[in-house]
């Protein structure tokens, strides 16, 4: 007995459109290959028989301007592979229509849809509601559902987010009928939206049905070939989906794709109990609002991610200081375990090194852990494995006592049995579904084929989920990856550190000479000021209050200068004594992050930063990050007050290596000042009013020298600066 699955249905080849207009398909020469059989309802003198096989320009029914519009579209279709959907409002036999033209590889689609909305004032009112989305700081999706509810005037608007297993959950909802049950917080099984439907949602971001009971009109084609209706907005939907809507109590529906980072993140699902044709202009506005909300959501996510990355960076520095520089990493890492637990919101941790295992919090027995290490290593791709459903691996789940349901495993060094495992306890969840998540099939009595059948019940069904823990977030997985890289780099560098110790000591002694010179030279002025003021106060007994206040301020100001200089010297010393091994570094992994951090730090959101080509280079990730942080930060900072402030970042390949350029149209500097730009604490004469201490370019030069990068700077006062970095081949 043949059985057809939901995902096997060819939803773009169903051969029918809704009776909301008509369609005409052309080949590349402008010959009509297909029309909908309802065309005579709109064109009194035409039928499929009078049109199919004929040139569109000879049989077109509109005025000269529209004919010329189609002629130009055909010419573009012939000559270009970059096709974009275009829409024009026109009249056919005194009826307003939208003509939408779209393309596939060998077919041009003319879609004529009735225009039913002539009220622009409503759209203007709704446009103002977008300001709410812009100002939303948390519940973006609730605001979107309310805006679309007003715009579409439908009974239900719900925002549906896909889970990792392709099921979904309703995260926001607006109801316009008091008799409707709320679906907020309910889950939907993945087969409610089959795989091929999700794929279509990635390319066609709006899908709607005006009346589930309407039979629609058939598409008549040349030689009775199947018509691909993927590009057609008014295509009739799958009978299975239409029955699904009827079973849910709705006659019309419209949905919009929520695309985030190029992936289908979720859907906006809008349902109405009565038939309803929503005008194309209103659908387009609703899709725009959905895209706007998706961008706002991503913006809020990026802000949260930036804050988390800053916390991770601080922890990395602390880890380097407290752990990686010590001779016994395992001992120091044990003292660091509570911090590692906190960052991952874990309930327990295991740290293994050679023959020792350190345990903290909730954890399995040591012998159980040792016996299952080979299995964890096998599961780990790229040396990391994470799950929130350990019950899917029954032996692991049993051996770990069933109290642990989630873990993240990072293998640092297999030769030394060096690993870290974070554990999470089991959380019993009561999961609510909009109907029992079961697939239904029925047999066609005529053909004997078993086909999928839409479910009939949407009553709340509850299940208790066991054997799972709280999910590990993408940010936490990033943290695990970074910790593994840091620890692994430290292990690999230990031998090299010992071999190069003498070289480092020489370098450090040279650096100490530099610092001693700096202290003896640059700290003379503040120390002299303290000395003079102190002696004056010591030998004068009749000092007036105003003078006493002035002298005290001089002393405090000088102390502040000294402390600030010492702090910057400490920063400078860290940049000069970092050990590394060169590797290929993808700068695109951190340039965007630096741009956002710099804009936030200097309050320079007005600066337009154009990022062109970012080629990978050889170097050390941390040093390169610091190098670009100082250069890009300076470019954004010193161009922030310019009219039409702009920073351009680009790179290109030459025979000698890779060149990066960072250009801005900021304050620039005098040519004679360029020679001293790398001096410590040296600030340009026109830099007053901008934050800074004159240490940044000194750090840049020290890093460039260590990595073998040639650096050059061109600048013109009040016109801008260009920094060029030459990375050797």
């Amino acid at each position: 007995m043949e059985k057809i699955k939901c995902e096997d249905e060819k939803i773009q080849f169903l051969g029918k459109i809704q009776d909301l207009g008509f369609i005409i398909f052309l080949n590349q020469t402008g010959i009509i290959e297909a029309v909908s059989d309802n065309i005579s309802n709109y064109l009194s003198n035409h039928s499929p028989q009078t049109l199919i096989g004929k040139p569109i320009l000879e049989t077109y029914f509109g005025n000269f301007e529209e004919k010329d519009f189609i002629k130009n579209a055909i010419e573009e279709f012939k000559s270009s592979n970059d096709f974009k959907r275009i829409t024009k409002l026109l009249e056919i036999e005194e009826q307003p229509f939208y003509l939408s033209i779209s393309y596939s590889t060998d077919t041009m689609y003319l879609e004529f849809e009735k225009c039913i909305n002539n009220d622009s004032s409503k759209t203007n009112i709704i446009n103002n509601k977008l300001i709410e989305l812009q100002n939303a700081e948390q519940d973006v999706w609730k605001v979107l559902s309310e805006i679309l509810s007003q715009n579409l005037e439908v009974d239900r608007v719900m925002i549906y987010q896909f889970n990792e297993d392709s099921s979904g959950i309703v995260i926001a909802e607006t109801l316009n009928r008091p008799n409707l049950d709320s679906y907020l917080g309910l889950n939907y099984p993945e087969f409610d939206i089959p795989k091929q439907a999700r794929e279509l949602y990635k390319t066609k971001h709006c899908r709607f049905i005006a009346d589930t009971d309407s039979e629609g009109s058939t598409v008549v084609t040349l030689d009775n070939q199947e018509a691909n209706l993927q590009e057609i907005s008014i295509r009739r939907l799958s009978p299975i989906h239409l029955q699904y809507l009827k079973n849910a109590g709705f006659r019309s529906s419209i949905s919009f794709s929520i695309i985030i980072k190029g992936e289908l993140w979720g859907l906006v699902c809008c349902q109405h109990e009565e038939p309803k044709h929503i005008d194309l202009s209103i659908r387009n506005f609703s899709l725009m609002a959905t895209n706007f909300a998706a961008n706002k959501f991503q913006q809020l996510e990026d802000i949260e991610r930036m804050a988390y990355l800053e916390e991770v960076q601080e922890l990395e520095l602390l880890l380097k200081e407290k752990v990686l520089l010590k001779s016994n990493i395992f001992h120091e890492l044990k003292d660091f375990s509570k911090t590692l637990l906190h960052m991952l919101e874990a309930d327990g941790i295991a740290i293994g090194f050679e023959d020792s295992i350190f345990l903290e919090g909730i954890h399995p027995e040591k012998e159980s852990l040792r016996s299952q290490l080979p299995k964890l290593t096998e599961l780990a791709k790229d040396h990391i494995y994470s799950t929130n459903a350990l019950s899917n691996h029954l032996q692991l789940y049993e051996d770990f006592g069933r109290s642990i349901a989630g873990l993240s495993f990072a293998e640092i060094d297999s030769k030394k049995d060096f690993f870290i495992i974070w554990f999470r306890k089991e959380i019993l969840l009561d999961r609510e579904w909009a109907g029992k998540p079961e697939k239904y099939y029925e047999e066609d009595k005529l053909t004997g084929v078993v086909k999928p059948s839409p479910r009939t019940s949407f009553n709340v069904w509850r299940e208790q989920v066991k054997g799972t823990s709280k999910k590990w977030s993408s940010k936490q997985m990033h943290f695990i990856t970074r910790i593994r890289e840091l620890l692994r780099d430290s292990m690999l560098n230990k031998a090299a550190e010992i071999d190069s110790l003498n070289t480092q000591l020489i370098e450090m002694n040279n650096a100490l000479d530099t610092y001693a010179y700096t202290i003896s030279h640059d700290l003379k002025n503040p120390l002299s000021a303290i000395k003079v003021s102190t002696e004056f106060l010591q030998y004068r007994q009749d000092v007036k209050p105003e003078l006493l206040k002035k002298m005290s301020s001089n002393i405090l100001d000088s102390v502040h200068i000294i402390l600030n200089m010492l702090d910057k010297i400490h920063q400078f010393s860290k940049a000069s004594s970092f050990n590394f091994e060169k590797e290929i570094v993808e700068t695109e992994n951190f340039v965007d992050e630096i741009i956002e951090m710099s804009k936030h730090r200097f309050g320079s959101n007005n600066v337009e930063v154009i990022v062109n080509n970012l080629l990978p280079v050889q170097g050390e990730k941390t040093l390169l990050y610091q190098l670009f942080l100082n250069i890009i930060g300076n470019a954004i900072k010193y161009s922030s007050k310019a009219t039409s402030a702009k920073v351009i970042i680009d790179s290109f390949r030459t025979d000698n290596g890779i060149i990066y350029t960072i250009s801005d149209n900021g304050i620039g500097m005098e040519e004679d000042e360029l020679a001293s730009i790398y001096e410590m604490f040296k600030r340009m004469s026109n830099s007053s009013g901008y934050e800074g201490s004159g240490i940044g370019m000194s750090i840049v030069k020290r890093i460039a020298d260590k990595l073998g990068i040639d650096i050059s700077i061109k600048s013109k006062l009040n016109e801008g600066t260009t920094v060029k970095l030459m990375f050797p081949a």
Side-chain angles (χ1 to χ4, degrees):
M1 184 180 296
E2 184 183 0
K3 184 175 181 180
I4 299 176
K5 299 179 181 179
C6 291
E7 54 268 27
D8 294 334
E9 187 181 23
K10 298 180 179 180
I11 56 178
Q12 69 271 44
F13 288 98
L14 298 177
K16 284 193 173 185
I17 66 167
Q18 302 179 62
D19 284 323
L20 309 175
F22 61 95
I23 61 171
I24 298 174
F25 290 1
L26 310 177
N27 64 17
Q28 287 188 329
T29 61
I31 301 299
I32 299 174
E33 292 191 325
V35 298
S36 53
D37 65 1
N38 65 343
I39 197 165
S40 56
N41 296 342
Y42 304 101
L43 306 177
S44 54
N45 297 321
H46 289 284
S47 67
Q49 292 74 25
T50 63
L51 291 173
I52 291 181
K54 305 290 178 59
I56 183 68
L57 297 178
E58 293 181 12
T59 56
Y60 186 65
F61 33 81
N63 60 38
F64 177 80
E65 181 184 347
E66 296 159 8
K67 186 175 181 179
D68 201 42
F69 177 68
I70 293 176
K71 180 181 178 182
N72 291 336
I74 293 173
E75 291 302 318
E76 182 180 351
F77 181 36
K78 290 179 181 178
S79 61
S80 174
N81 291 322
D82 185 21
F83 306 132
K84 295 179 181 178
R85 186 179 179 90
I86 53 176
T87 300
K88 180 180 179 63
L89 189 62
L90 48 80
E91 279 196 6
I92 299 174
E93 297 186 2
E94 299 182 354
Q95 165 72 42
F97 280 83
Y98 296 104
L99 167 57
S100 296
I101 301 179
S102 53
Y103 312 85
S104 67
T105 304
D106 54 6
T107 305
M108 177 173 167
Y109 307 95
L110 306 183
E111 182 177 355
F112 297 84
E113 180 183 341
K114 289 185 290 186
C115 172
I116 59 173
N117 176 49
N118 293 316
D119 182 12
S120 61
S121 61
K122 177 186 172 185
T123 302
N124 290 333
I125 293 172
I126 298 298
N127 277 336
N128 293 331
K129 298 289 288 182
L130 291 179
I131 298 174
E132 293 184 29
L133 282 175
Q134 179 60 39
N135 295 332
E137 293 301 328
Q138 290 183 334
D139 206 348
V140 174
W141 304 120
K142 178 60 178 173
V143 175
L144 176 66
S145 71
E146 292 171 352
I147 289 175
L148 296 190
S149 180
Q150 295 176 43
N151 187 42
L152 299 170
E153 297 179 346
V154 293
D155 297 331
R156 182 198 304 278
V157 175
M158 59 182 179
I159 312 297
Y160 175 96
Q161 179 185 356
F162 286 111
N163 297 318
E164 291 178 355
D165 61 359
S166 296
S167 65
I169 184 171
V170 179
I171 59 173
E173 181 184 55
T174 299
L175 302 176
N176 278 335
R177 281 184 184 265
N179 62 308
L180 289 177
D181 293 330
S182 174
Y183 290 162
L184 186 63
L186 297 186
N187 292 269
Y188 283 76
E190 55 87 17
F191 51 78
D192 271 17
I193 305 175
K195 181 179 179 181
Q196 82 276 33
R198 292 195 296 270
E199 288 300 316
L200 194 54
Y201 269 121
K202 290 182 181 180
T203 55
K204 297 297 295 180
H205 298 165
C206 175
R207 185 184 74 174
F208 83 105
I209 184 75
D211 186 356
T212 57
D213 289 345
S214 172
E215 287 299 319
S217 298
T218 302
V219 178
V220 181
T221 64
L222 191 65
D223 300 329
N224 294 320
Q225 296 293 317
E226 274 190 324
N228 185 345
L229 302 182
Q230 178 172 322
E231 299 296 324
I232 302 303
S233 297
I234 60 172
R235 68 181 176 89
R236 192 170 183 271
L237 304 184
S238 157
I240 298 175
H241 180 71
L242 296 180
Q243 188 60 52
Y244 176 92
L245 291 172
K246 292 179 188 179
N247 294 348
F250 298 100
R251 289 279 300 277
S252 59
S253 168
I254 183 169
S255 49
F256 305 99
S257 307
I258 300 175
I259 305 294
I260 293 179
K261 292 185 177 179
E263 295 297 327
L264 184 64
W265 183 90
L267 296 172
V268 180
C269 300
C270 313
Q271 300 165 335
H272 199 64
E273 290 184 346
E274 301 297 329
K276 187 179 182 67
H277 177 195
I278 297 173
D279 190 79
L280 177 62
S281 64
I282 298 176
R283 300 200 308 267
N284 286 343
F285 170 80
S286 301
L287 180 58
M288 179 185 72
T290 301
N291 292 336
F292 196 95
N295 290 335
K296 179 62 178 180
F297 176 80
Q298 185 60 54
Q299 179 186 356
L300 294 174
E301 287 278 291
D302 288 344
I303 291 172
E304 183 181 344
R305 177 176 173 271
M306 288 289 293
Y308 183 82
L309 287 177
E310 288 180 7
E311 188 176 358
V312 169
Q313 287 172 354
E314 291 177 5
L315 186 60
E316 287 177 8
L317 291 174
L318 186 61
L319 185 64
K320 288 177 182 178
E321 181 180 348
K322 299 287 187 182
V323 178
L324 304 188
L325 298 180
K326 304 297 176 64
S327 58
N328 190 334
I329 290 181
F330 179 62
H331 176 74
E332 301 297 336
L333 204 55
K334 288 192 295 184
D335 293 339
F336 209 70
S337 61
K338 286 185 170 57
T339 303
L340 295 175
L341 274 171
H342 166 73
M343 284 300 293
L344 260 72
E345 299 175 355
D347 300 304
I349 192 171
I351 302 172
F353 189 84
E354 295 180 339
D355 295 327
S356 300
I357 296 179
F358 169 79
L359 298 169
E360 177 87 27
I362 296 175
H363 56 78
E365 296 295 328
K366 281 188 180 181
E367 291 310 310
S368 298
L369 183 57
R370 290 184 195 277
S371 68
Q372 291 301 327
L373 279 175
K375 179 62 176 178
L376 290 174
T377 303
E378 178 187 335
L379 290 170
K381 294 180 179 179
D382 296 326
H383 308 284
I384 291 176
Y385 171 69
S386 175
T387 180
N388 73 304
L390 196 60
S391 53
N392 292 337
H393 301 282
L394 193 57
Q395 191 61 54
L396 277 170
Y397 188 49
E398 294 285 351
D399 279 11
F400 287 179
R402 287 181 169 266
S403 60
I404 295 169
L407 64 79
S408 282
F409 168 75
E411 182 187 57
I412 315 299
D413 188 342
S414 59
K415 294 180 180 179
K416 293 184 176 294
D417 292 328
F418 189 9
F419 64 85
I420 303 178
I421 309 175
W422 290 265
F423 303 104
R424 280 182 176 169
K425 62 186 178 182
E426 180 182 50
I427 299 176
L428 295 178
L429 296 176
D430 289 324
R431 199 173 187 186
E432 294 186 334
W433 296 84
K436 193 172 182 179
E438 292 181 339
K439 287 187 178 181
Y440 296 93
Y441 291 88
E442 61 183 6
E443 183 180 352
D444 189 312
K445 294 180 180 180
L446 295 176
T447 64
V449 175
V450 177
K451 296 181 178 179
S453 174
R455 54 197 177 94
T456 57
S457 173
F458 292 83
N459 294 328
V460 176
W461 184 82
R462 293 178 175 86
E463 69 168 341
Q464 190 174 66
V465 181
K466 298 181 179 180
T468 62
S469 70
K470 181 181 177 182
K471 292 182 179 178
W472 307 93
S473 69
S474 59
K475 293 182 296 186
Q476 290 165 344
M477 295 310 300
H478 168 78
F479 173 77
I480 292 173
T481 302
R482 287 293 301 137
I483 292 300
R484 180 186 179 275
E485 289 175 353
L486 284 172
L487 292 173
R488 186 161 179 79
D489 288 348
S490 175
M491 294 295 297
L492 293 174
N493 287 336
K494 283 300 178 183
E497 287 177 9
I498 295 172
D499 292 340
S500 63
L501 181 60
N502 289 333
T503 304
Q504 291 181 44
L505 288 173
I506 293 171
E507 183 179 335
M508 291 175 66
N509 285 332
N510 291 336
L512 286 172
D513 290 341
T514 303
Y515 307 149
Y517 172 79
T518 302
I519 292 172
S520 65
H521 182 270
D522 291 279
L523 298 188
K524 284 181 179 178
N525 287 340
L527 286 171
S528 296
I530 292 173
K531 181 175 181 294
V532 170
S533 298
T534 305
E535 288 176 347
F536 181 85
L537 293 175
Q538 185 177 6
Y539 295 109
R540 290 287 298 271
Q541 302 299 322
D542 55 343
V543 181
K544 293 182 179 180
E546 303 87 271
L547 188 56
L548 178 61
K549 183 177 180 180
K550 182 178 179 181
M551 291 294 181
S552 301
S553 296
N554 288 343
I555 293 172
L556 289 174
D557 289 345
S558 298
V559 169
H560 177 73
I561 290 170
I562 292 170
L563 291 174
N564 189 51
M565 284 187 178
L566 291 174
D567 180 59
K568 297 306 177 183
I569 288 170
H570 178 60
Q571 291 183 31
F572 189 58
S573 68
K574 288 197 294 184
S576 69
S577 59
F578 188 79
N579 299 304
F580 67 93
E581 289 183 1
K582 281 191 176 182
E583 61 181 320
I584 298 298
V585 178
E586 299 285 351
T587 60
E588 64 182 10
N589 291 337
F590 54 72
V591 165
D592 287 340
E593 176 185 320
I594 287 173
I595 291 168
E596 293 304 316
M597 288 178 60
S598 298
K599 283 186 173 184
H600 177 74
R601 176 185 172 188
F602 301 121
S604 306
N605 289 327
N606 62 305
V607 178
E608 178 188 7
V609 181
I610 299 172
V611 180
N612 294 324
N613 199 24
L614 295 179
L615 294 171
V617 295
Q618 271 208 336
E620 197 283 325
K621 285 180 288 187
T622 304
L623 289 178
L624 285 175
Y625 183 95
Q626 194 173 3
L627 178 83
F628 280 98
L629 179 66
N630 277 285
I631 297 174
I632 294 173
N634 280 349
I636 291 173
K637 175 172 62 174
Y638 291 119
S639 61
S640 59
K641 297 179 183 180
T643 305
S644 301
K646 183 182 294 185
V647 173
I648 301 173
I649 304 169
D650 200 1
S651 69
F652 54 94
R653 195 180 304 276
T654 70
D655 292 339
N656 298 321
I658 292 172
I659 292 178
Y660 265 73
T661 58
I662 299 95
S663 303
D664 65 72
N665 61 347
I667 61 174
M669 65 190 84
E670 295 284 3
E671 187 173 348
D672 59 358
E673 290 190 289
L674 287 174
S676 59
I677 193 171
Y678 301 120
E679 293 179 11
M680 289 177 62
F681 308 119
K682 179 67 177 181
R683 302 202 70 202
M684 299 301 101
S685 58
N686 61 339
S687 63
S688 60
Y690 293 86
E691 176 188 335
S693 60
I695 196 75
M697 291 309 294
S698 298
I699 293 175
V700 166
K701 187 65 168 68
R702 181 65 61 90
I703 292 172
D705 289 346
K706 288 183 73 66
L707 296 178
I709 302 167
D710 289 333
I711 180 170
S712 61
I713 301 176
K714 290 185 178 180
S715 187
K716 197 166 184 180
L717 192 62
N718 299 323
E719 290 187 13
T721 301
T722 295
V723 178
K724 183 166 74 172
L725 303 169
M726 175 66 191
F727 293 82

